[in-house]
Amino acid sequence: MIKVGIPRALLYYQYYPMWKTFFEELGAEVVVSSPTTQTMLSSGSSRVVADTCLPVKIFLGHVLSLVEKCDYIFIPAIRSVKRKAYNCSKFLGLPDMTKAVIPESPPILDIEIDVNKGKRHLYQAIYKLGQRFTWNPFRVKQASIAAWQAHLKYRQLMSSQGLTPPQAIAKMTGEVEPKTPTSTQATIALIGHPYILYDEHISHRLIHRLEQAHYKVLTPEMLTTEELESATATLVGKAHWTYEDEVVGAGGYYLESGADGVIGVMTFGCGPDSLMMDTVHRWASRLRITPFMSLTLEEHTAEAGVVTRLEAFLDMIHRRKRRRVEVCV
Ligand code: SF4
């Protein structure tokens, strides 16, 4: 059986159930890299210039960890999934960059996704990818339909049941779901890209820390597409970046929806995020309803620094809540 490797990084958290279903329907076995480790980060960093963003370095580390384990590696070039909104340049050139810096990689299965080029272009790209496994266009079509159904189910699990991507993936693949402690303290919304929030190595286990301390954690995936798009429209009118909703939309929504605090998480060296996070920051200052903190993480960020900032932010939220109770009394 042909083995297709999928790096557990970047768009894995958005699309894994869809990709897995597509390849399995075509008779392939899917191999996913292990969760990020420092060794992966160091190996990925060694292949690119220092100012490459942290998530891309980590992605390359995941590709390196799959080199001996699969026949192909799946790396799509996702340019756009929305009309007139484009992705960060790193995503556009991901297959080519990987080929250039990891020449020992197994052959790369790349596909260009750009909805601005029309449906015909999209269908042709999917069929071309499917042809690596079968010449029967009907089988490719069936696999695409099953993959899309899996994606819709995945999104629905997250927005209607309040699951994070790792929890929804565990539920769909039959793995044991991590138990979430019952929340008692306050509600904290985290905004940012899934490949930052759910990669425990990059985020220094932010979600886990909050949940263990009995905070209820909300993330962008727990909102519906309509809620995200409407909040993005309120803040910036029209989204210009493909994944703007998970930062600007989620930030705008949670700042007004009763969360006790909002934390924006981004990585150093990211142009799009610095603009989007600044938009949310300005909106928070204008509304003055919900405290907002932004955390910029990088390769050398010390865990102690993250914990100190988190504790200070949570203390401030508790003081604020106590003051409100005293005023009401
Ligand atoms: S959006 Fe930012 S963090 Fe994400 S790949 Fe692009 S530069 Fe890197």
Side-chain angles (χ1 to χ4, degrees):
M1 193 185 274
I2 296 175
K3 288 187 181 173
V4 176
I6 295 185
R8 193 188 293 258
L10 290 180
L11 299 178
Y12 162 87
Y13 297 96
Q14 261 109 331
Y15 302 118
Y16 173 65
M18 176 162 74
W19 296 346
K20 177 180 176 344
T21 307
F22 181 76
F23 291 119
E24 287 183 349
E25 287 284 320
L26 293 175
E29 182 188 342
V30 169
V31 181
V32 183
S33 52
S34 318
T36 307
T37 60
Q38 182 56 39
T39 311
M40 282 179 182
L41 170 56
S42 307
S43 63
S45 298
S46 69
R47 301 293 176 115
V48 282
V49 292
D51 56 3
T52 305
C53 72
L54 179 57
V56 167
K57 288 178 181 169
I58 284 180
F59 179 84
L60 297 172
H62 279 267
V63 173
L64 282 163
S65 78
L66 285 168
V67 164
E68 299 285 319
K69 298 182 185 151
C70 51
D71 304 303
Y72 293 102
I73 296 197
F74 178 56
I75 307 180
I78 299 191
R79 291 167 195 269
S80 171
V81 291
K82 258 188 204 164
R83 297 269 305 144
K84 298 199 175 155
Y86 290 92
N87 222 338
C88 149
S89 59
K90 304 285 188 344
F91 287 104
L92 273 54
L94 203 56
D96 294 334
M97 177 172 48
T98 309
K99 276 178 213 162
V101 302
I102 310 183
E104 68 272 39
S105 159
I108 290 174
L109 293 176
D110 55 356
I111 172 174
E112 185 196 59
I113 302 289
D114 186 349
V115 298
N116 288 290
K117 289 188 176 169
K119 279 188 182 164
R120 189 181 161 81
H121 177 271
L122 184 65
Y123 294 155
Q124 280 175 344
I126 295 170
Y127 180 57
K128 202 170 147 210
L129 176 65
Q131 271 185 333
R132 305 273 193 127
F133 303 88
T134 175
W135 284 101
N136 182 348
F138 185 69
R139 270 193 76 198
V140 179
K141 188 178 174 190
Q142 291 298 102
S144 315
I145 293 170
W148 183 245
Q149 294 302 331
H151 182 64
L152 294 180
K153 184 177 170 198
Y154 178 55
R155 297 285 326 174
Q156 202 255 343
L157 271 178
M158 293 187 286
S159 61
S160 67
Q161 296 187 20
L163 300 182
T164 61
Q167 287 168 337
I169 289 171
K171 193 155 191 157
M172 289 180 77
T173 54
E175 292 163 26
V176 181
E177 277 181 65
K179 282 205 168 55
T180 308
T182 322
S183 54
T184 52
Q185 297 229 47
T187 302
I188 305 296
L190 296 181
I191 61 163
H193 301 299
Y195 49 83
I196 298 174
L197 297 183
Y198 304 110
D199 187 311
E200 296 201 332
H201 192 81
I202 302 184
S203 69
H204 295 276
R205 301 165 74 235
L206 210 47
I207 295 179
H208 181 77
R209 282 175 200 286
L210 286 164
E211 286 179 345
Q212 286 303 311
H214 299 282
Y215 288 91
K216 180 177 179 189
V217 178
L218 301 173
T219 61
E221 293 72 28
M222 294 172 191
L223 300 175
T224 61
T225 308
E226 293 72 33
E227 285 167 333
L228 288 168
E229 285 180 354
S230 146
T232 304
T234 307
L235 263 74
V236 291
K238 191 191 159 310
H240 297 283
W241 300 98
T242 296
Y243 299 111
E244 194 156 345
D245 290 343
E246 57 208 28
V247 180
V248 173
Y253 183 93
Y254 285 133
L255 282 171
E256 293 187 78
S257 70
D260 296 298
V262 177
I263 303 178
V265 191
M266 56 184 266
T267 54
F268 181 75
C270 173
D273 277 9
S274 54
L275 293 174
M276 291 190 274
M277 217 49 98
D278 187 58
T279 303
V280 179
H281 201 164
R282 285 166 191 262
W283 190 248
S285 312
R286 193 170 142 191
L287 293 175
R288 300 173 76 87
I289 304 173
T290 311
F292 175 77
M293 168 176 84
S294 72
L295 274 179
T296 305
L297 306 170
E298 52 140 332
E299 212 168 330
H300 305 292
T301 300
E303 188 157 315
V306 174
V307 173
T308 307
R309 288 205 59 200
L310 186 62
E311 285 175 354
F313 184 67
L314 296 174
D315 270 356
M316 189 258 291
I317 284 171
H318 284 296
R319 277 203 308 277
R320 205 165 174 265
K321 282 183 84 151
R322 269 200 305 273
R323 259 205 318 271
R324 272 205 208 137
V325 172
E326 281 163 13
V327 169
C328 291
V329 169

